[in-house]
Amino acid sequence: RKEVEQDPGPFNVPEGATVAFNCTYSNSASQSFFWYRQDCRKEPKLLMSVYSSGNEDGRFTAQLNRASQYISLLIRDSKLSDSATYLCVVNSGEFSGGYNKLIFGAGTRLAVHP
Amino acid sequence: ETGVTQTPRHLVMGMTNKKSLKCEQHLGHNAMYWYKQSAKKPLELMFVYNFKEQTENNSVPSRFSPECPNSSHLFLHLHTLQPEDSALYLCASSRTSGGETQYFGPGTRLLVL
């Protein structure tokens, strides 16, 4: 089983639609969770951290389900500019050599069309 | 945004060349990282430096040689690369190496001929 798994997509949605992505992780010891956004041929950029109680930032809502080991990202009222690849990122939960690494999923591609 | 900068942005090199990638962070962070991103693959962690000390070498071939002279600068020295090393090389930094948010530079797109 992969450490972080995401549906690669693509999700093709019209403007204004609501779309949701899920991501599962394998290590129950993981403590930090993030969604990053990566535009084509650009670097990943932090979209939002994911907190235990769930959190919202404008049109974006992130949820964490520790019991089932998955996190989700909900995007409401999709814009053309939301078209990108969304990376699920989880920390390994273990310190090795003084380092606790982040594990990146392969990403889910979203294409918003007019 | 200029928190993490990388040069060059694009690089074409032959298999016998030697080149270096440079990364600089202006965020006051203590941890820096090199990642490789190949087409349609997840980011692969290559090296981790924490307070200038290398704490992770993720089974990277010796043709990649990192250098971290201080907490703000990170280099990746390249020599005798293979065509399969062609990829986007990303530098990142974080406040500590404890699994918190990492901030990425724009990357160097490398083509090995």
Side-chain angles (χ1 to χ4, degrees), chain B residues 12-71:
Chain B
V12 180
M13 60 187 287
M15 290 192 285
T16 58
N17 292 159
K18 288 185 181 180
K19 296 286 184 184
S20 294
L21 310 185
K22 178 183 175 183
C23 175
E24 183 173 359
Q25 59 96 359
H26 310 272
L27 301 169
H29 289 167
N30 296 306
M32 296 187 76
Y33 314 80
W34 279 117
Y35 287 88
K36 173 184 178 182
Q37 188 174 35
S38 303
K40 302 193 178 183
K41 286 188 172 182
L43 271 70
E44 300 173 49
L45 178 65
M46 300 175 73
F47 301 104
V48 180
Y49 278 83
N50 192 31
F51 291 96
K52 303 188 305 177
E53 299 298 319
Q54 185 175 311
T55 59
E56 177 91 359
N57 175 343
N58 209 22
S59 302
V60 180
S62 59
R63 58 186 183 269
F64 295 91
S65 174
E67 178 191 357
C68 188
N70 54 60
S71 292

Short mmCIF file of all heavy atoms in Angstrom, two decimals, chain B residues 12-71:
data_model
loop_
_atom_site.label_atom_id
_atom_site.label_comp_id
_atom_site.label_asym_id
_atom_site.label_seq_id
_atom_site.Cartn_x
_atom_site.Cartn_y
_atom_site.Cartn_z
N VAL B 12 20.34 22.60 -19.55
CA VAL B 12 20.55 21.48 -20.46
C VAL B 12 22.01 21.11 -20.34
O VAL B 12 22.89 21.97 -20.44
CB VAL B 12 20.21 21.86 -21.92
CG1 VAL B 12 20.45 20.67 -22.84
CG2 VAL B 12 18.77 22.34 -22.04
N MET B 13 22.28 19.85 -20.11
CA MET B 13 23.67 19.43 -19.97
C MET B 13 23.90 18.06 -20.58
O MET B 13 22.97 17.24 -20.67
CB MET B 13 24.10 19.44 -18.50
CG MET B 13 23.32 18.55 -17.59
SD MET B 13 23.77 18.79 -15.84
CE MET B 13 25.38 18.02 -15.76
N GLY B 14 25.13 17.86 -21.04
CA GLY B 14 25.52 16.56 -21.54
C GLY B 14 25.91 15.64 -20.40
O GLY B 14 26.10 16.09 -19.26
N MET B 15 26.03 14.38 -20.68
CA MET B 15 26.30 13.40 -19.63
C MET B 15 27.69 13.55 -19.02
O MET B 15 27.93 13.09 -17.92
CB MET B 15 26.09 11.98 -20.17
CG MET B 15 24.64 11.65 -20.45
SD MET B 15 24.34 9.91 -20.75
CE MET B 15 24.98 9.77 -22.41
N THR B 16 28.57 14.24 -19.72
CA THR B 16 29.93 14.39 -19.17
C THR B 16 30.14 15.74 -18.47
O THR B 16 31.20 16.01 -17.93
CB THR B 16 30.98 14.25 -20.28
OG1 THR B 16 30.72 15.24 -21.29
CG2 THR B 16 30.91 12.86 -20.90
N ASN B 17 29.12 16.59 -18.50
CA ASN B 17 29.26 17.92 -17.90
C ASN B 17 29.21 17.87 -16.39
O ASN B 17 28.74 16.91 -15.77
CB ASN B 17 28.13 18.84 -18.37
CG ASN B 17 28.21 19.19 -19.84
OD1 ASN B 17 27.24 19.57 -20.46
ND2 ASN B 17 29.40 19.08 -20.40
N LYS B 18 29.69 18.96 -15.78
CA LYS B 18 29.52 19.19 -14.36
C LYS B 18 28.80 20.53 -14.20
O LYS B 18 29.24 21.53 -14.79
CB LYS B 18 30.86 19.29 -13.64
CG LYS B 18 31.60 17.99 -13.49
CD LYS B 18 32.86 18.20 -12.65
CE LYS B 18 33.64 16.91 -12.51
NZ LYS B 18 34.86 17.10 -11.69
N LYS B 19 27.75 20.54 -13.43
CA LYS B 19 27.00 21.78 -13.19
C LYS B 19 26.55 21.79 -11.74
O LYS B 19 26.56 20.77 -11.06
CB LYS B 19 25.77 21.86 -14.11
CG LYS B 19 26.08 21.93 -15.59
CD LYS B 19 26.61 23.30 -15.98
CE LYS B 19 26.81 23.36 -17.50
NZ LYS B 19 27.41 24.64 -17.90
N SER B 20 26.11 22.97 -11.30
CA SER B 20 25.58 23.08 -9.93
C SER B 20 24.26 23.83 -9.93
O SER B 20 24.10 24.81 -10.65
CB SER B 20 26.58 23.81 -9.04
OG SER B 20 27.76 23.06 -8.88
N LEU B 21 23.35 23.37 -9.10
CA LEU B 21 22.10 24.07 -8.85
C LEU B 21 22.24 24.81 -7.53
O LEU B 21 22.84 24.29 -6.58
CB LEU B 21 20.93 23.10 -8.77
CG LEU B 21 20.79 22.07 -9.90
CD1 LEU B 21 19.50 21.28 -9.71
CD2 LEU B 21 20.84 22.73 -11.26
N LYS B 22 21.64 26.00 -7.50
CA LYS B 22 21.73 26.81 -6.29
C LYS B 22 20.35 27.12 -5.75
O LYS B 22 19.42 27.38 -6.51
CB LYS B 22 22.46 28.12 -6.60
CG LYS B 22 22.58 29.07 -5.40
CD LYS B 22 23.26 30.37 -5.77
CE LYS B 22 23.27 31.34 -4.61
NZ LYS B 22 23.88 32.65 -4.99
N CYS B 23 20.25 27.13 -4.43
CA CYS B 23 19.00 27.48 -3.76
C CYS B 23 19.33 28.43 -2.61
O CYS B 23 20.33 28.25 -1.90
CB CYS B 23 18.34 26.23 -3.22
SG CYS B 23 16.85 26.52 -2.24
N GLU B 24 18.48 29.43 -2.45
CA GLU B 24 18.65 30.36 -1.33
C GLU B 24 17.29 30.64 -0.71
O GLU B 24 16.31 30.88 -1.44
CB GLU B 24 19.29 31.66 -1.81
CG GLU B 24 19.56 32.66 -0.70
CD GLU B 24 20.33 33.88 -1.18
OE1 GLU B 24 20.69 33.95 -2.37
OE2 GLU B 24 20.58 34.76 -0.34
N GLN B 25 17.22 30.59 0.61
CA GLN B 25 15.95 30.92 1.26
C GLN B 25 16.12 32.15 2.14
O GLN B 25 17.13 32.31 2.82
CB GLN B 25 15.41 29.71 2.04
CG GLN B 25 16.30 29.15 3.13
CD GLN B 25 16.00 29.66 4.51
OE1 GLN B 25 15.11 30.49 4.72
NE2 GLN B 25 16.75 29.18 5.50
N HIS B 26 15.09 32.99 2.12
CA HIS B 26 15.11 34.27 2.82
C HIS B 26 14.06 34.28 3.94
O HIS B 26 13.54 35.33 4.30
CB HIS B 26 14.80 35.40 1.82
CG HIS B 26 15.64 35.34 0.59
ND1 HIS B 26 16.86 35.95 0.50
CD2 HIS B 26 15.42 34.73 -0.60
CE1 HIS B 26 17.36 35.73 -0.72
NE2 HIS B 26 16.51 35.00 -1.40
N LEU B 27 13.75 33.10 4.45
CA LEU B 27 12.66 32.96 5.42
C LEU B 27 13.16 32.75 6.84
O LEU B 27 12.34 32.57 7.75
CB LEU B 27 11.75 31.80 5.00
CG LEU B 27 11.12 31.95 3.60
CD1 LEU B 27 10.46 30.66 3.15
CD2 LEU B 27 10.11 33.10 3.61
N GLY B 28 14.46 32.66 7.01
CA GLY B 28 15.01 32.40 8.35
C GLY B 28 14.79 30.98 8.81
O GLY B 28 14.80 30.70 10.02
N HIS B 29 14.59 30.07 7.87
CA HIS B 29 14.36 28.67 8.22
C HIS B 29 15.67 27.95 8.52
O HIS B 29 16.75 28.39 8.11
CB HIS B 29 13.65 27.96 7.07
CG HIS B 29 12.22 28.39 6.92
ND1 HIS B 29 11.46 28.08 5.79
CD2 HIS B 29 11.39 29.10 7.73
CE1 HIS B 29 10.25 28.58 5.93
NE2 HIS B 29 10.18 29.21 7.10
N ASN B 30 15.53 26.82 9.22
CA ASN B 30 16.71 26.04 9.61
C ASN B 30 16.86 24.74 8.85
O ASN B 30 17.89 24.09 8.95
CB ASN B 30 16.65 25.73 11.11
CG ASN B 30 16.72 26.99 11.94
OD1 ASN B 30 17.64 27.79 11.77
ND2 ASN B 30 15.75 27.20 12.81
N ALA B 31 15.84 24.34 8.12
CA ALA B 31 15.90 23.08 7.37
C ALA B 31 15.72 23.35 5.88
O ALA B 31 14.91 24.20 5.48
CB ALA B 31 14.81 22.12 7.85
N MET B 32 16.49 22.66 5.08
CA MET B 32 16.39 22.80 3.63
C MET B 32 16.43 21.42 2.98
O MET B 32 17.00 20.47 3.53
CB MET B 32 17.53 23.66 3.07
CG MET B 32 17.47 25.10 3.58
SD MET B 32 18.67 26.19 2.79
CE MET B 32 17.92 26.47 1.19
N TYR B 33 15.80 21.32 1.81
CA TYR B 33 15.58 20.03 1.17
C TYR B 33 15.81 20.12 -0.35
O TYR B 33 15.54 21.16 -0.96
CB TYR B 33 14.12 19.58 1.36
CG TYR B 33 13.58 19.72 2.76
CD1 TYR B 33 13.14 20.94 3.24
CD2 TYR B 33 13.52 18.62 3.61
CE1 TYR B 33 12.64 21.08 4.52
CE2 TYR B 33 13.02 18.74 4.90
CZ TYR B 33 12.58 19.98 5.35
OH TYR B 33 12.08 20.10 6.62
N TRP B 34 16.24 19.00 -0.91
CA TRP B 34 16.20 18.82 -2.37
C TRP B 34 15.21 17.71 -2.68
O TRP B 34 15.25 16.64 -2.07
CB TRP B 34 17.57 18.42 -2.93
CG TRP B 34 18.53 19.55 -3.12
CD1 TRP B 34 19.73 19.71 -2.49
CD2 TRP B 34 18.41 20.65 -4.02
NE1 TRP B 34 20.35 20.86 -2.92
CE2 TRP B 34 19.56 21.45 -3.87
CE3 TRP B 34 17.45 21.05 -4.95
CZ2 TRP B 34 19.78 22.63 -4.59
CZ3 TRP B 34 17.66 22.22 -5.67
CH2 TRP B 34 18.82 22.99 -5.49
N TYR B 35 14.34 17.99 -3.67
CA TYR B 35 13.40 17.01 -4.18
C TYR B 35 13.60 16.86 -5.68
O TYR B 35 13.96 17.82 -6.38
CB TYR B 35 11.95 17.45 -3.96
CG TYR B 35 11.43 17.40 -2.56
CD1 TYR B 35 11.59 18.48 -1.69
CD2 TYR B 35 10.76 16.28 -2.09
CE1 TYR B 35 11.07 18.44 -0.40
CE2 TYR B 35 10.23 16.23 -0.80
CZ TYR B 35 10.40 17.32 0.03
OH TYR B 35 9.88 17.28 1.32
N LYS B 36 13.25 15.68 -6.18
CA LYS B 36 13.20 15.45 -7.63
C LYS B 36 11.75 15.16 -8.00
O LYS B 36 11.08 14.38 -7.31
CB LYS B 36 14.08 14.25 -7.99
CG LYS B 36 13.98 13.83 -9.45
CD LYS B 36 14.81 12.57 -9.71
CE LYS B 36 14.67 12.13 -11.16
NZ LYS B 36 15.44 10.88 -11.44
N GLN B 37 11.28 15.79 -9.08
CA GLN B 37 9.93 15.52 -9.56
C GLN B 37 10.00 15.14 -11.03
O GLN B 37 10.29 15.99 -11.88
CB GLN B 37 9.00 16.71 -9.35
CG GLN B 37 7.54 16.36 -9.67
CD GLN B 37 6.57 17.48 -9.35
OE1 GLN B 37 6.88 18.65 -9.49
NE2 GLN B 37 5.37 17.14 -8.89
N SER B 38 9.76 13.87 -11.31
CA SER B 38 9.69 13.40 -12.69
C SER B 38 8.25 13.44 -13.14
O SER B 38 7.33 13.49 -12.32
CB SER B 38 10.22 11.97 -12.77
OG SER B 38 11.54 11.91 -12.27
N ALA B 39 8.06 13.39 -14.45
CA ALA B 39 6.72 13.50 -15.02
C ALA B 39 5.79 12.45 -14.42
O ALA B 39 6.12 11.27 -14.36
CB ALA B 39 6.79 13.35 -16.53
N LYS B 40 4.62 12.92 -13.95
CA LYS B 40 3.54 12.06 -13.46
C LYS B 40 3.97 11.18 -12.28
O LYS B 40 3.42 10.10 -12.09
CB LYS B 40 2.98 11.21 -14.60
CG LYS B 40 2.46 12.07 -15.75
CD LYS B 40 1.63 11.30 -16.73
CE LYS B 40 1.11 12.26 -17.81
NZ LYS B 40 0.25 11.66 -18.78
N LYS B 41 4.95 11.63 -11.53
CA LYS B 41 5.37 10.90 -10.32
C LYS B 41 5.30 11.82 -9.12
O LYS B 41 5.42 13.04 -9.28
CB LYS B 41 6.81 10.41 -10.48
CG LYS B 41 7.00 9.23 -11.40
CD LYS B 41 8.44 8.77 -11.30
CE LYS B 41 8.67 7.48 -12.03
NZ LYS B 41 10.07 7.02 -11.88
N PRO B 42 5.16 11.26 -7.92
CA PRO B 42 5.18 12.12 -6.73
C PRO B 42 6.58 12.70 -6.53
O PRO B 42 7.57 12.17 -7.06
CB PRO B 42 4.84 11.17 -5.59
CG PRO B 42 4.45 9.88 -6.21
CD PRO B 42 4.95 9.85 -7.60
N LEU B 43 6.64 13.73 -5.73
CA LEU B 43 7.94 14.28 -5.35
C LEU B 43 8.77 13.21 -4.64
O LEU B 43 8.26 12.49 -3.77
CB LEU B 43 7.77 15.47 -4.41
CG LEU B 43 7.62 16.84 -5.04
CD1 LEU B 43 6.30 17.00 -5.73
CD2 LEU B 43 7.80 17.93 -4.00
N GLU B 44 10.03 13.14 -4.99
CA GLU B 44 10.95 12.21 -4.33
C GLU B 44 11.94 13.02 -3.52
O GLU B 44 12.68 13.84 -4.07
CB GLU B 44 11.74 11.41 -5.37
CG GLU B 44 10.92 10.56 -6.32
CD GLU B 44 11.80 9.96 -7.41
OE1 GLU B 44 12.86 9.40 -7.08
OE2 GLU B 44 11.45 10.10 -8.59
N LEU B 45 11.97 12.77 -2.24
CA LEU B 45 12.94 13.45 -1.38
C LEU B 45 14.34 12.93 -1.67
O LEU B 45 14.56 11.72 -1.73
CB LEU B 45 12.58 13.21 0.09
CG LEU B 45 13.52 13.82 1.11
CD1 LEU B 45 13.48 15.34 1.05
CD2 LEU B 45 13.16 13.32 2.51
N MET B 46 15.28 13.85 -1.83
CA MET B 46 16.67 13.45 -2.09
C MET B 46 17.53 13.67 -0.85
O MET B 46 18.21 12.75 -0.39
CB MET B 46 17.23 14.26 -3.27
CG MET B 46 16.48 14.08 -4.57
SD MET B 46 17.12 15.16 -5.86
CE MET B 46 18.68 14.36 -6.25
N PHE B 47 17.57 14.91 -0.38
CA PHE B 47 18.45 15.26 0.74
C PHE B 47 17.73 16.19 1.70
O PHE B 47 16.89 17.00 1.29
CB PHE B 47 19.71 15.97 0.23
CG PHE B 47 20.55 15.17 -0.73
CD1 PHE B 47 20.52 15.45 -2.08
CD2 PHE B 47 21.36 14.14 -0.27
CE1 PHE B 47 21.29 14.72 -2.98
CE2 PHE B 47 22.13 13.41 -1.15
CZ PHE B 47 22.09 13.69 -2.52
N VAL B 48 18.13 16.08 2.98
CA VAL B 48 17.62 16.99 4.02
C VAL B 48 18.81 17.55 4.78
O VAL B 48 19.72 16.81 5.15
CB VAL B 48 16.72 16.24 5.02
CG1 VAL B 48 16.20 17.20 6.08
CG2 VAL B 48 15.55 15.57 4.30
N TYR B 49 18.77 18.84 5.00
CA TYR B 49 19.76 19.50 5.85
C TYR B 49 19.03 20.22 6.97
O TYR B 49 18.05 20.92 6.74
CB TYR B 49 20.59 20.51 5.05
CG TYR B 49 21.72 19.89 4.30
CD1 TYR B 49 21.50 19.30 3.06
CD2 TYR B 49 23.00 19.85 4.84
CE1 TYR B 49 22.54 18.70 2.37
CE2 TYR B 49 24.04 19.25 4.15
CZ TYR B 49 23.81 18.67 2.92
OH TYR B 49 24.84 18.07 2.24
N ASN B 50 19.54 20.03 8.18
CA ASN B 50 18.97 20.69 9.35
C ASN B 50 20.10 21.41 10.06
O ASN B 50 21.07 20.76 10.48
CB ASN B 50 18.32 19.64 10.27
CG ASN B 50 17.48 20.27 11.34
OD1 ASN B 50 16.89 21.34 11.14
ND2 ASN B 50 17.39 19.63 12.48
N PHE B 51 20.01 22.73 10.18
CA PHE B 51 21.10 23.52 10.75
C PHE B 51 22.43 23.18 10.07
O PHE B 51 23.44 22.93 10.74
CB PHE B 51 21.21 23.29 12.27
CG PHE B 51 20.07 23.86 13.05
CD1 PHE B 51 18.99 23.07 13.41
CD2 PHE B 51 20.08 25.19 13.43
CE1 PHE B 51 17.93 23.59 14.13
CE2 PHE B 51 19.02 25.72 14.16
CZ PHE B 51 17.95 24.92 14.50
N LYS B 52 22.41 23.14 8.77
CA LYS B 52 23.58 22.89 7.91
C LYS B 52 24.06 21.45 7.92
O LYS B 52 24.99 21.10 7.20
CB LYS B 52 24.77 23.79 8.28
CG LYS B 52 24.55 25.28 8.25
CD LYS B 52 25.85 26.01 8.44
CE LYS B 52 26.57 25.61 9.70
NZ LYS B 52 27.88 26.29 9.85
N GLU B 53 23.48 20.60 8.74
CA GLU B 53 23.95 19.23 8.81
C GLU B 53 23.02 18.31 8.01
O GLU B 53 21.79 18.39 8.14
CB GLU B 53 23.99 18.74 10.27
CG GLU B 53 24.92 19.53 11.17
CD GLU B 53 26.36 19.42 10.72
OE1 GLU B 53 26.79 18.32 10.31
OE2 GLU B 53 27.07 20.46 10.73
N GLN B 54 23.62 17.43 7.23
CA GLN B 54 22.80 16.52 6.43
C GLN B 54 22.21 15.45 7.33
O GLN B 54 22.93 14.77 8.05
CB GLN B 54 23.65 15.88 5.34
CG GLN B 54 22.85 14.99 4.39
CD GLN B 54 23.68 14.44 3.25
OE1 GLN B 54 24.39 15.19 2.58
NE2 GLN B 54 23.62 13.15 3.03
N THR B 55 20.90 15.33 7.31
CA THR B 55 20.24 14.35 8.15
C THR B 55 19.57 13.25 7.34
O THR B 55 19.08 12.28 7.90
CB THR B 55 19.17 15.00 9.04
OG1 THR B 55 18.21 15.65 8.20
CG2 THR B 55 19.77 16.02 9.97
N GLU B 56 19.54 13.39 6.03
CA GLU B 56 18.91 12.37 5.21
C GLU B 56 19.56 12.34 3.85
O GLU B 56 19.80 13.39 3.24
CB GLU B 56 17.41 12.69 5.03
CG GLU B 56 16.65 11.74 4.12
CD GLU B 56 16.02 10.57 4.87
OE1 GLU B 56 16.20 10.49 6.08
OE2 GLU B 56 15.35 9.76 4.22
N ASN B 57 19.90 11.15 3.41
CA ASN B 57 20.34 10.93 2.04
C ASN B 57 19.52 9.75 1.56
O ASN B 57 19.79 8.61 1.95
CB ASN B 57 21.84 10.62 1.99
CG ASN B 57 22.31 10.27 0.59
OD1 ASN B 57 21.52 9.96 -0.29
ND2 ASN B 57 23.60 10.34 0.38
N ASN B 58 18.52 10.06 0.78
CA ASN B 58 17.51 9.07 0.47
C ASN B 58 17.96 8.14 -0.65
O ASN B 58 17.30 8.04 -1.68
CB ASN B 58 16.22 9.80 0.09
CG ASN B 58 14.98 9.00 0.43
OD1 ASN B 58 15.01 8.11 1.28
ND2 ASN B 58 13.90 9.30 -0.25
N SER B 59 19.08 7.45 -0.43
CA SER B 59 19.61 6.49 -1.42
C SER B 59 19.81 7.15 -2.78
O SER B 59 19.44 6.58 -3.81
CB SER B 59 18.66 5.30 -1.56
OG SER B 59 18.47 4.67 -0.32
N VAL B 60 20.37 8.33 -2.74
CA VAL B 60 20.59 9.08 -4.00
C VAL B 60 21.95 8.69 -4.57
O VAL B 60 22.94 8.61 -3.84
CB VAL B 60 20.55 10.59 -3.72
CG1 VAL B 60 20.78 11.38 -5.02
CG2 VAL B 60 19.22 10.98 -3.09
N PRO B 61 22.03 8.47 -5.89
CA PRO B 61 23.31 8.12 -6.51
C PRO B 61 24.36 9.20 -6.26
O PRO B 61 24.04 10.40 -6.16
CB PRO B 61 22.98 8.02 -8.00
CG PRO B 61 21.52 7.79 -8.06
CD PRO B 61 20.93 8.47 -6.87
N SER B 62 25.62 8.79 -6.21
CA SER B 62 26.70 9.72 -5.88
C SER B 62 26.96 10.76 -6.95
O SER B 62 27.71 11.71 -6.72
CB SER B 62 27.99 8.93 -5.62
OG SER B 62 28.33 8.18 -6.77
N ARG B 63 26.35 10.62 -8.12
CA ARG B 63 26.50 11.65 -9.14
C ARG B 63 25.78 12.94 -8.75
O ARG B 63 25.94 13.98 -9.40
CB ARG B 63 26.04 11.16 -10.51
CG ARG B 63 24.60 10.68 -10.58
CD ARG B 63 24.31 10.08 -11.96
NE ARG B 63 22.93 9.65 -12.11
CZ ARG B 63 22.50 8.43 -11.82
NH1 ARG B 63 23.34 7.51 -11.35
NH2 ARG B 63 21.23 8.12 -12.01
N PHE B 64 24.96 12.87 -7.69
CA PHE B 64 24.34 14.05 -7.08
C PHE B 64 25.05 14.31 -5.76
O PHE B 64 25.06 13.44 -4.87
CB PHE B 64 22.86 13.82 -6.81
CG PHE B 64 22.03 13.62 -8.04
CD1 PHE B 64 21.82 12.35 -8.56
CD2 PHE B 64 21.47 14.71 -8.69
CE1 PHE B 64 21.05 12.16 -9.70
CE2 PHE B 64 20.69 14.54 -9.83
CZ PHE B 64 20.49 13.26 -10.34
N SER B 65 25.60 15.51 -5.60
CA SER B 65 26.36 15.82 -4.40
C SER B 65 25.86 17.12 -3.79
O SER B 65 26.02 18.18 -4.40
CB SER B 65 27.84 15.93 -4.75
OG SER B 65 28.59 16.36 -3.66
N PRO B 66 25.23 17.09 -2.62
CA PRO B 66 24.71 18.31 -2.03
C PRO B 66 25.78 19.03 -1.22
O PRO B 66 26.78 18.45 -0.78
CB PRO B 66 23.60 17.80 -1.10
CG PRO B 66 24.10 16.46 -0.66
CD PRO B 66 24.90 15.90 -1.81
N GLU B 67 25.54 20.32 -1.02
CA GLU B 67 26.42 21.13 -0.19
C GLU B 67 25.57 22.18 0.49
O GLU B 67 24.75 22.84 -0.16
CB GLU B 67 27.51 21.80 -1.03
CG GLU B 67 28.44 22.70 -0.24
CD GLU B 67 29.33 23.54 -1.12
OE1 GLU B 67 29.27 23.40 -2.37
OE2 GLU B 67 30.06 24.38 -0.57
N CYS B 68 25.79 22.37 1.79
CA CYS B 68 25.01 23.36 2.54
C CYS B 68 25.96 24.20 3.38
O CYS B 68 26.26 23.84 4.51
CB CYS B 68 23.98 22.67 3.42
SG CYS B 68 22.81 23.79 4.21
N PRO B 69 26.47 25.30 2.84
CA PRO B 69 27.46 26.10 3.57
C PRO B 69 26.88 26.85 4.76
O PRO B 69 27.61 27.16 5.71
CB PRO B 69 27.96 27.09 2.51
CG PRO B 69 26.84 27.17 1.51
CD PRO B 69 26.20 25.82 1.50
N ASN B 70 25.59 27.15 4.73
CA ASN B 70 24.92 27.80 5.86
C ASN B 70 23.42 27.54 5.75
O ASN B 70 22.97 26.95 4.76
CB ASN B 70 25.21 29.31 5.89
CG ASN B 70 24.87 29.99 4.59
OD1 ASN B 70 23.73 29.96 4.15
ND2 ASN B 70 25.87 30.60 3.95
N SER B 71 22.68 27.97 6.74
CA SER B 71 21.25 27.63 6.78
C SER B 71 20.45 28.27 5.66
O SER B 71 19.30 27.88 5.44
CB SER B 71 20.66 28.06 8.12
OG SER B 71 21.18 27.28 9.16
#
